[in-house]
Coordinates of all heavy atoms in Angstrom, one line a residue:
I1147 N 125.5 88.8 63.8 CA 125.0 87.5 64.1 C 123.6 87.4 63.5 O 122.7 88.2 63.8 CB 124.9 87.2 65.6 CG1 126.3 87.3 66.2 CG2 124.3 85.8 65.9 CD1 126.3 87.2 67.7
L1148 N 123.4 86.4 62.7 CA 122.1 86.2 62.1 C 121.6 84.7 62.4 O 122.3 83.8 62.2 CB 122.2 86.3 60.6 CG 121.0 86.0 59.8 CD1 120.7 87.2 58.9 CD2 121.1 84.7 59.0
V1149 N 120.5 84.6 63.1 CA 119.9 83.3 63.3 C 118.8 83.2 62.3 O 117.8 83.9 62.2 CB 119.3 83.2 64.8 CG1 118.6 81.9 64.9 CG2 120.4 83.3 65.8
Q1150 N 118.9 82.2 61.4 CA 118.0 82.0 60.3 C 116.6 81.5 60.8 O 116.5 80.5 61.5 CB 118.6 81.0 59.3 CG 117.7 80.7 58.1 CD 117.6 82.0 57.2 OE1 118.6 82.7 57.0 NE2 116.5 82.2 56.6
L1151 N 115.6 82.3 60.5 CA 114.2 82.0 60.9 C 113.5 81.3 59.7 O 113.9 81.5 58.6 CB 113.5 83.2 61.3 CG 114.1 84.1 62.4 CD1 113.3 85.3 62.7 CD2 114.3 83.3 63.7
P1152 N 112.4 80.5 60.0 CA 111.9 80.1 61.3 C 112.7 79.1 62.0 O 113.4 78.3 61.3 CB 110.5 79.6 60.9 CG 110.7 79.0 59.5 CD 111.7 79.9 58.8
L1153 N 112.6 79.0 63.3 CA 113.3 78.0 64.1 C 112.3 76.9 64.3 O 111.1 77.1 64.3 CB 113.7 78.6 65.5 CG 114.9 79.6 65.4 CD1 115.1 80.3 66.7 CD2 116.2 78.9 65.0
P1154 N 112.8 75.7 64.7 CA 111.9 74.6 64.9 C 110.9 74.9 66.1 O 111.2 75.7 67.0 CB 112.8 73.4 65.4 CG 114.1 73.8 64.8 CD 114.2 75.3 64.7
K1155 N 109.8 74.2 66.1 CA 108.7 74.5 67.0 C 109.1 74.5 68.5 O 108.6 75.3 69.3 CB 107.5 73.5 66.9 CG 106.8 73.6 65.5 CD 105.6 74.6 65.6 CE 104.9 74.7 64.3 NZ 105.6 75.4 63.2
H1156 N 110.0 73.6 68.9 CA 110.4 73.5 70.3 C 111.3 74.6 70.8 O 111.6 74.6 72.0 CB 111.0 72.1 70.6 CG 112.4 71.9 69.9 ND1 112.5 71.6 68.6 CD2 113.6 72.1 70.4 CE1 113.8 71.5 68.3 NE2 114.5 71.8 69.4
I1157 N 111.7 75.5 70.0 CA 112.6 76.6 70.4 C 111.8 77.9 70.4 O 111.1 78.2 69.4 CB 113.8 76.7 69.5 CG1 114.6 75.4 69.6 CG2 114.6 77.9 69.8 CD1 115.8 75.3 68.6
N1158 N 111.9 78.7 71.5 CA 111.3 80.0 71.6 C 112.1 81.0 70.9 O 113.1 81.5 71.3 CB 111.1 80.3 73.1 CG 110.4 81.7 73.3 OD1 110.5 82.5 72.5 ND2 109.8 81.8 74.5
E1159 N 111.5 81.4 69.7 CA 112.2 82.4 68.8 C 112.6 83.7 69.6 O 113.7 84.2 69.5 CB 111.3 82.7 67.7 CG 111.9 83.1 66.4 CD 110.9 83.1 65.2 OE1 110.8 82.0 64.6 OE2 110.3 84.1 65.0
E1160 N 111.6 84.2 70.3 CA 111.8 85.5 70.9 C 113.0 85.5 71.9 O 113.8 86.3 72.0 CB 110.5 85.9 71.7 CG 110.6 87.3 72.3 CD 109.3 87.8 73.0 OE1 108.4 87.0 73.1 OE2 109.3 88.9 73.5
K1161 N 113.0 84.3 72.7 CA 114.0 84.2 73.7 C 115.4 84.1 73.0 O 116.4 84.8 73.5 CB 113.8 82.9 74.5 CG 114.4 82.8 75.8 CD 114.0 81.6 76.6 CE 114.9 81.4 77.8 NZ 114.8 80.2 78.5
V1162 N 115.5 83.4 71.9 CA 116.8 83.3 71.2 C 117.3 84.7 70.7 O 118.4 85.1 70.9 CB 116.7 82.2 70.1 CG1 118.0 82.2 69.3 CG2 116.5 80.9 70.7
L1163 N 116.3 85.4 70.0 CA 116.7 86.6 69.4 C 117.1 87.7 70.4 O 118.0 88.5 70.1 CB 115.5 87.2 68.5 CG 115.1 86.3 67.3 CD1 114.0 87.0 66.5 CD2 116.3 86.1 66.4
T1164 N 116.5 87.6 71.6 CA 116.8 88.6 72.6 C 118.2 88.4 73.2 O 118.8 89.3 73.8 CB 115.7 88.6 73.7 OG1 114.4 88.7 73.1 CG2 115.9 89.7 74.7
E1165 N 118.7 87.2 73.0 CA 120.1 86.9 73.5 C 121.2 87.4 72.6 O 122.3 87.5 73.0 CB 120.3 85.3 73.6 CG 119.4 84.7 74.7 CD 119.8 85.2 76.1 OE1 121.0 85.5 76.4 OE2 118.9 85.3 77.0
I1166 N 120.8 87.8 71.4 CA 121.9 88.3 70.4 C 122.3 89.7 70.9 O 121.4 90.5 71.2 CB 121.3 88.4 69.0 CG1 121.0 87.0 68.5 CG2 122.3 89.1 68.1 CD1 120.3 87.0 67.1
S1167 N 123.6 89.9 71.0 CA 124.1 91.2 71.5 C 123.5 92.3 70.5 O 123.5 92.2 69.3 CB 125.6 91.2 71.4 OG 126.1 92.5 71.2
L1168 N 123.0 93.4 71.2 CA 122.4 94.5 70.4 C 123.4 95.1 69.4 O 122.9 95.4 68.3 CB 122.1 95.6 71.4 CG 121.0 96.6 71.1 CD1 119.7 95.9 70.7 CD2 120.8 97.6 72.2
E1169 N 124.7 95.1 69.7 CA 125.7 95.6 68.7 C 125.9 94.7 67.5 O 126.5 95.1 66.6 CB 127.0 95.8 69.4 CG 127.1 97.0 70.3 CD 126.5 96.8 71.7 OE1 126.7 95.6 72.2 OE2 125.8 97.7 72.2
K1170 N 125.4 93.5 67.6 CA 125.6 92.5 66.6 C 124.3 92.0 65.9 O 124.3 91.1 65.1 CB 126.4 91.3 67.1 CG 127.7 91.6 67.7 CD 128.6 90.4 68.1 CE 129.9 90.8 68.7 NZ 130.8 89.7 68.9
D1171 N 123.2 92.7 66.2 CA 121.9 92.3 65.7 C 121.7 92.8 64.3 O 120.8 93.7 64.1 CB 120.8 92.8 66.7 CG 119.4 92.7 66.2 OD1 119.1 91.6 65.6 OD2 118.6 93.6 66.3
V1172 N 122.4 92.3 63.3 CA 122.4 92.8 62.0 C 121.0 92.5 61.3 O 120.7 93.1 60.2 CB 123.5 92.2 61.1 CG1 124.8 93.0 61.4 CG2 123.7 90.7 61.3
D1173 N 120.2 91.6 61.8 CA 118.9 91.4 61.3 C 117.9 92.5 61.8 O 116.8 92.7 61.2 CB 118.3 90.1 61.7 CG 118.1 89.1 60.5 OD1 118.0 89.7 59.4 OD2 117.9 87.9 60.7
G1174 N 118.3 93.2 62.8 CA 117.5 94.4 63.3 C 116.2 93.9 64.0 O 115.3 94.7 64.2
F1175 N 116.2 92.7 64.5 CA 114.9 92.1 65.1 C 115.0 92.2 66.7 O 114.0 91.7 67.3 CB 114.7 90.7 64.7 CG 114.3 90.6 63.2 CD1 114.7 89.4 62.5 CD2 113.7 91.6 62.6 CE1 114.4 89.3 61.2 CE2 113.4 91.5 61.2 CZ 113.7 90.4 60.5
H1176 N 116.1 92.6 67.3 CA 116.1 92.7 68.7 C 115.0 93.7 69.2 O 114.8 94.7 68.6 CB 117.4 93.2 69.2 CG 117.7 93.0 70.7 ND1 117.0 93.8 71.6 CD2 118.4 92.2 71.4 CE1 117.4 93.4 72.8 NE2 118.2 92.5 72.7
P1177 N 114.2 93.3 70.2 CA 113.1 94.2 70.6 C 113.5 95.6 70.9 O 112.8 96.6 70.6 CB 112.6 93.6 71.9 CG 113.0 92.1 71.8 CD 114.2 92.0 71.0
L1178 N 114.7 95.8 71.3 CA 115.2 97.2 71.6 C 115.4 98.0 70.2 O 115.2 99.2 70.2 CB 116.5 97.2 72.4 CG 116.3 97.2 73.9 CD1 117.7 97.0 74.6 CD2 115.7 98.6 74.3
N1179 N 115.9 97.2 69.2 CA 116.1 97.9 67.9 C 114.8 98.2 67.3 O 114.6 99.3 66.8 CB 116.9 97.0 67.0 CG 118.4 97.2 67.1 OD1 118.9 98.4 67.4 ND2 119.2 96.2 66.9
I1180 N 113.8 97.3 67.4 CA 112.5 97.6 66.8 C 111.8 98.7 67.6 O 111.1 99.6 67.1 CB 111.6 96.3 66.9 CG1 112.2 95.3 65.9 CG2 110.1 96.6 66.5 CD1 111.9 95.5 64.4
G1181 N 112.0 98.7 69.0 CA 111.4 99.7 69.8 C 111.9 101.1 69.4 O 111.2 102.1 69.3
K1182 N 113.3 101.2 69.2 CA 113.8 102.5 68.8 C 113.4 102.9 67.4 O 113.2 104.1 67.2 CB 115.4 102.4 68.8 CG 116.0 102.4 70.2 CD 117.5 102.5 70.1 CE 118.0 102.8 71.5 NZ 119.4 103.2 71.4
L1183 N 113.1 102.0 66.5 CA 112.6 102.2 65.2 C 111.2 102.9 65.3 O 110.8 103.7 64.5 CB 112.6 100.9 64.4 CG 112.0 101.0 63.0 CD1 112.7 102.0 62.1 CD2 112.0 99.6 62.3
A1184 N 110.5 102.4 66.3 CA 109.1 102.9 66.5 C 109.0 104.3 67.1 O 108.0 105.0 67.1 CB 108.3 101.9 67.3
M1185 N 110.1 104.8 67.7 CA 110.1 106.0 68.5 C 110.6 107.2 67.7 O 111.7 107.0 67.0 CB 110.8 105.9 69.8 CG 110.1 104.9 70.7 SD 111.1 104.4 72.1 CE 110.8 105.8 73.2
K1186 N 110.0 108.3 67.8 CA 110.4 109.5 67.1 C 111.8 110.0 67.7 O 111.9 110.0 68.9 CB 109.4 110.6 67.2 CG 109.4 111.6 66.1 CD 108.2 112.6 66.2 CE 108.5 113.7 65.3 NZ 107.5 114.7 65.4
G1187 N 112.7 110.4 66.8 CA 113.9 110.9 67.3 C 114.9 109.9 67.9 O 115.9 110.3 68.5
R1188 N 114.6 108.6 67.8 CA 115.5 107.6 68.2 C 116.0 106.8 66.9 O 115.2 106.6 66.0 CB 114.9 106.6 69.1 CG 114.2 107.2 70.3 CD 115.1 107.5 71.4 NE 114.4 108.4 72.4 CZ 113.8 107.9 73.5 NH1 113.8 106.6 73.7 NH2 113.2 108.7 74.3
D1189 N 117.2 106.4 67.0 CA 117.6 105.5 65.8 C 118.1 104.2 66.3 O 119.0 104.1 67.2 CB 118.8 106.3 65.1 CG 118.2 107.4 64.3 OD1 117.3 107.2 63.5 OD2 118.8 108.5 64.4
P1190 N 117.6 103.1 65.7 CA 118.1 101.8 66.1 C 119.5 101.6 65.6 O 119.9 102.4 64.7 CB 117.1 100.8 65.3 CG 116.5 101.7 64.2 CD 116.5 103.1 64.7
L1191 N 120.3 100.7 66.2 CA 121.6 100.5 65.7 C 121.6 99.8 64.3 O 122.4 100.1 63.4 CB 122.4 99.5 66.6 CG 122.8 100.1 67.9 CD1 123.5 99.1 68.8 CD2 123.9 101.2 67.7

């Protein structure tokens, strides 16, 4: 699932992106995927 950014001003981007299922976050922007990318020995989906 890809939500094309930027979104209009009245929509909270972070809130929308966090709702995408982690298993379907092909843009890799879910906070959990970015968090795993930042950590040693962890791999984002």
Side-chain angles (χ1 to χ4, degrees):
I1147 300 170
L1148 175 129
V1149 175
Q1150 184 65 37
L1151 303 178
L1153 290 169
K1155 295 271 183 284
H1156 67 279
I1157 295 174
N1158 178 335
E1159 205 167 271
E1160 185 180 2
K1161 201 170 164 192
V1162 173
L1163 294 182
T1164 308
E1165 292 295 328
I1166 296 173
S1167 153
L1168 204 56
E1169 283 79 41
K1170 299 188 181 189
D1171 171 40
V1172 281
D1173 243 345
F1175 293 150
H1176 192 290
L1178 270 173
N1179 271 329
I1180 294 286
K1182 285 188 169 194
L1183 177 59
M1185 294 168 83
K1186 203 174 170 185
R1188 309 279 166 91
D1189 287 310
L1191 285 176

